[in-house]
Amino acid sequence: MILHEFMSFEVLRVIWWLLLGVLLIGFALTDGFDLGVGALLPFVGKTDKERRVVINTIGPVWEGNQVWFILGGGAIFAAWPPLYAVSFSGFYLAMFLILAALILRPVGFKYRSKRESATWRRSWDWALFVGGAVPALVFGVAVGNVLQGVPFYLTPDLLMPMYEGNAIMKLLLLLNPFALLAGVVSLSMLLMHGAAWLGLKAEGTVQKRAQKIGVIAGIVAAVAYALAGVWLAFGIDGYQIVSEVVKDGPSNPLYSEVSRGGSWLTAYSERPWIVIAPAMAFIGIALAVLGLSKGKEVSTLLWSKLGITGIISSVGLTMFPFILPSTVDPNSSLTVWDSSSSHLTLFVMLVCAIIFMPIILAYTSWVYKVLWGKVKEEDLDNNAQSY
């Protein structure tokens, strides 16, 4: 009886909202530095050997890190079907752009060193740059659009018309000023994260170049994040549920009445404790920048992780319980309380997560322990498996 009460529909919905956040943060903390390193590649490595050092710092781990991306997409599909339907159809072109860029990464890793030609290798280096920079930017643009609300509406049978118009117009709608600012936050924080990783895994000139760029990226991330907060407070309307909130009711967003107006930041007066998220963001970035400038290694990467966790958490905590607001019809907005899968589905998924998440975490920890240490230029000549 106690277990049944604890695992009520309301509790399971909150748990899966939290788990979705954990998966997105896990992706940013692991594959995030891979993306950052890829975006830094042409700038921190001036010679072929230096660029090979950079590539081999992430070469053994980038595929495993993408597990978090796959888990996040799977969790959205299984736990929040309306969110999956609206976001993956409305953001179709953005998703295609991300996937096209991500496809360049495995191809670039595998083919770059297959020929001695400088032109060949330089071309693949820029492909790896695109594979890192474009997803880092577009992920932030997507979050910026979510904070503003997305133009979709639900019909009585829960079909979701969205973004009417041609494909180019759909993409241009996503590239609005606030979304681009959010993209700058995302790109710069992952550049900082990638620089922190190179500070840990590389040495010499490559390490120092990365740390210098990382300082600049961290400052840009903090300033852009602060500007986005001000813009969010005074330039973008928030959303509120104005009808009775049924937390264990059916998954039908049309049962709730939502109004648009005021500020998203009223959440901080209603739930003052969530200020911990932006505090973590600014403190983490500040200490990561200080660590990069001082040449610190392990602590810098940890502070960078703290900053990223704070930035991503602040978005979810500010919007709660909204997951995807609608600008066209606020009543169609998706929230934690009306957009989930069934009670049974969430419970079965939770059991699977309890079983498999520790296995994933244990294996990931073991891999990083085995691969601990710096990548040196002489290692590349002595290891036939290096890129």
Side-chain angles (χ1 to χ4, degrees):
M1 186 65 181
I2 296 177
L3 179 62
H4 175 74
E5 289 296 327
F6 178 73
M7 292 300 171
S8 67
F9 204 5
E10 174 188 348
V11 170
L12 283 170
R13 281 169 162 166
V14 174
I15 288 175
W16 273 103
W17 175 80
L18 289 170
L19 284 176
L20 179 59
V22 168
L23 293 174
L24 294 177
I25 291 171
F27 170 67
L29 297 185
T30 55
D31 207 33
F33 66 70
D34 296 337
L35 299 177
V37 168
L40 289 170
L41 176 61
F43 310 106
V44 298
K46 301 301 183 182
T47 66
D48 181 67
K49 186 61 72 69
E50 288 177 348
R51 293 185 180 187
R52 287 188 66 200
V53 168
V54 174
I55 291 171
N56 279 278
T57 64
I58 59 174
V61 297
W62 72 270
E63 287 180 289
N65 290 340
Q66 287 198 136
V67 167
W68 296 97
F69 182 55
I70 297 169
L71 287 175
I76 293 174
F77 172 77
W80 309 100
L83 174 62
Y84 181 89
V86 174
S87 59
F88 277 69
S89 59
F91 295 148
Y92 178 80
L93 288 176
M95 295 292 182
F96 180 83
L97 188 62
I98 289 172
L99 291 176
L102 290 177
I103 287 171
L104 290 175
R105 291 207 298 171
V107 180
F109 283 127
K110 301 300 182 183
Y111 280 89
R112 182 201 181 272
S113 297
K114 295 296 184 182
R115 296 177 58 185
E116 296 292 336
S117 168
T119 301
W120 171 270
R121 294 189 173 191
R122 192 160 47 245
S123 297
W124 284 115
D125 289 340
W126 283 105
L128 290 170
F129 164 78
V130 171
V134 170
L137 177 67
V138 176
F139 281 130
V141 169
V143 172
N145 278 281
V146 169
L147 282 165
Q148 294 175 92
V150 178
F152 73 96
Y153 63 92
L154 299 178
T155 61
D157 53 4
L158 297 185
L159 294 177
M160 304 169 185
M162 182 173 180
Y163 286 124
E164 297 175 354
N166 61 45
I168 300 300
M169 183 59 67
K170 292 178 182 179
L171 184 60
L172 291 177
L173 285 171
L174 297 177
L175 301 177
N176 55 76
F178 179 78
L180 289 173
L181 177 60
V184 171
V185 175
S186 176
L187 177 59
S188 56
M189 80 175 186
L190 294 185
L191 286 174
M192 176 191 71
H193 200 41
W197 176 256
L198 287 175
L200 176 67
K201 295 292 289 184
E203 59 181 11
T205 305
V206 170
Q207 182 192 53
K208 296 198 178 303
R209 287 192 192 121
Q211 290 170 335
K212 186 178 295 186
I213 295 174
V215 169
I216 298 172
I219 294 172
V220 171
V223 172
Y225 179 63
L227 288 175
V230 174
W231 196 334
L232 198 64
F234 300 105
I236 295 176
D237 289 336
Y239 290 76
Q240 301 87 31
I241 301 176
V242 295
S243 61
E244 181 182 357
V245 178
V246 182
K247 298 180 180 180
D248 57 354
S251 292
N252 186 337
L254 296 179
Y255 284 1
S256 300
E257 185 177 347
V258 175
S259 69
R260 187 180 185 189
S263 169
W264 277 120
L265 300 193
T266 56
Y268 290 87
S269 60
E270 297 169 355
R271 304 186 298 275
W273 62 270
I274 68 175
V275 74
I276 190 174
M280 286 168 55
F282 284 116
I283 292 171
I285 292 174
L287 292 176
V289 168
L290 182 62
L292 286 165
S293 64
K294 298 292 186 181
K296 304 293 184 180
E297 297 181 0
V298 176
S299 61
T300 299
L301 185 64
L302 295 176
W303 289 125
S304 178
K305 290 177 183 290
L306 179 68
I308 291 173
T309 300
I311 289 176
I312 297 175
S313 298
S314 67
V315 175
L317 291 172
T318 298
M319 292 183 62
F320 184 86
F322 288 91
I323 303 176
L324 189 64
S326 169
T327 57
V328 176
D329 176 22
N331 289 337
S332 297
S333 299
L334 307 181
T335 75
V336 172
W337 311 125
D338 55 28
S339 305
S340 72
S341 292
S342 68
H343 190 172
L344 177 61
T345 300
L346 295 183
F347 180 76
V348 172
M349 288 175 59
L350 181 60
V351 172
C352 293
I354 291 172
I355 294 172
F356 290 106
M357 282 291 288
I359 296 174
I360 294 172
L361 291 171
Y363 175 74
T364 301
S365 301
W366 177 77
V367 168
Y368 279 96
K369 180 181 179 181
V370 170
L371 297 173
W372 187 260
K374 292 185 177 293
V375 177
K376 302 176 182 179
E377 292 188 6
E378 54 267 27
D379 296 334
L380 305 180
D381 299 323
N382 300 326
N383 185 1
Q385 302 301 318
S386 63
Y387 290 113

